[in-house]
Amino acid sequence: MWVSLLVGSFLVFCTSRTQAVCGTTPPVWRNNNITCPERAVCADVFKTSRDWYNGTRCEEQRTLHNCLCPGGTVCPYTNSAHRVYASAQHLQYICRPVCQVPYCGNLQLRTTDRRNPLNVAQTVEQNAPEFGSRSYYRIDCRCPRHHVPYVQPPGVHRAVHVHSHIYDYQHHKYTTRFVCTTRANENSMPDPCAANHNIDEQ
Ligand SMILES: *[C@@H]1O[C@H](CO)[C@@H](O)[C@H](O)[C@H]1NC(C)=O
Ligand SMILES: *[C@@H]1O[C@H](CO)[C@@H](O)[C@H](O)[C@H]1NC(C)=O
């Protein structure tokens, strides 16, 4: 299941990337437009800079819609109030404003259970009953880098990294949990959604 999700996403991404296109490409509608579970990532936007190796580059933007928001409305994939940065090049959108999601740094330790680590920031649910036995990403709490992506080259700097995998034998559900990626001083970054702090827009 995990492999098929990865391969599936990879194929979607790669087949679409084989076409040489600049600008914004038509959105891809996935999962038959079923309704998003709570805090599911309803759309992924990938921004790339294509190098033609002839002295020119061009910017490209691809959008994958994973599900529709409650009421059948299209994911607010152009509204920055609904956006987190998975990385500087990968934007994720949720149906509700992101400031309604808790800030990971404000959460208390829930339990000392290894399977319930402190402040799970993001979860991938596979074979999820609440999503027609399909797979989806969920934002559980906001990380500092969800607001302000780390942009120093080289490499892709993601806001979260894998913490653990859990298989629920009873429900045949596979869960991958992610926690915030943090470097020096980021843990003490105040909640950008809190009063007197403006959300950094870029
Ligand atoms: C999904 O919804 C969008 C927006 O309403 C629509 O343009 C698209 O055709 C739908 N796709 C499918 C497969 O139903
Ligand atoms: C570079 O190559 C692309 C793709 O073939 C082409 O669209 C573009 O015009 C080229 N630019 C220059 C400066 O030759």
Side-chain angles (χ1 to χ4, degrees):
M1 281 180 293
W2 177 234
V3 170
S4 68
L5 173 77
L6 284 179
V7 170
S9 313
F10 188 68
L11 285 179
V12 166
F13 199 50
C14 283
T15 33
S16 49
R17 278 177 62 108
T18 54
Q19 302 151 18
V21 187
C22 293
T24 303
T25 60
V28 174
W29 302 92
R30 308 177 68 204
N31 302 315
N32 290 325
N33 282 349
I34 58 178
T35 303
C36 298
E38 181 71 9
R39 295 183 196 166
V41 172
C42 53
D44 290 278
V45 174
F46 297 93
K47 293 172 180 275
T48 49
S49 179
R50 183 175 294 282
D51 192 339
W52 293 107
Y53 300 106
N54 62 2
T56 52
R57 301 180 73 89
C58 70
E59 302 305 315
E60 193 176 280
Q61 180 169 314
R62 298 186 178 276
T63 304
L64 303 181
H65 286 273
N66 303 313
C67 47
L68 294 184
C69 292
T73 57
V74 172
C75 181
Y77 71 107
T78 56
N79 186 339
S80 61
H82 293 253
R83 177 197 64 203
V84 297
Y85 288 97
S87 69
Q89 297 80 29
H90 178 189
L91 285 51
Q92 293 179 315
Y93 292 82
I94 59 175
C95 294
R96 60 169 63 221
V98 293
C99 284
Q100 292 181 9
V101 175
Y103 191 55
C104 300
N106 295 340
L107 296 176
Q108 300 298 311
L109 182 64
R110 292 170 192 154
T111 169
T112 53
D113 185 342
R114 183 183 61 82
R115 286 151 59 98
N116 292 294
L118 174 64
N119 301 351
V120 173
Q122 203 157 341
T123 305
V124 176
E125 298 284 9
Q126 289 185 256
N127 199 23
E130 68 274 26
F131 196 51
S133 299
R134 295 161 186 263
S135 303
Y136 71 98
Y137 280 77
R138 187 176 63 235
I139 307 291
D140 297 311
C141 64
R142 292 174 287 112
C143 296
R145 290 292 174 208
H146 277 143
H147 290 277
V148 186
Y150 189 74
V151 293
Q152 296 304 311
V156 177
H157 302 283
R158 299 183 197 285
V160 297
H161 63 264
V162 172
H163 177 276
S164 52
H165 304 278
I166 299 168
Y167 185 63
D168 177 339
Y169 290 92
Q170 195 181 348
H171 302 101
H172 306 293
K173 194 170 115 169
Y174 195 75
T175 299
T176 304
R177 293 170 151 186
F178 297 76
V179 292
C180 297
T181 300
T182 53
R183 293 181 180 78
N185 300 326
E186 286 175 348
N187 284 323
S188 58
M189 177 177 155
D191 181 356
C193 290
N196 306 321
H197 291 286
N198 295 321
I199 298 176
D200 190 289
E201 282 299 329
Q202 278 310 326

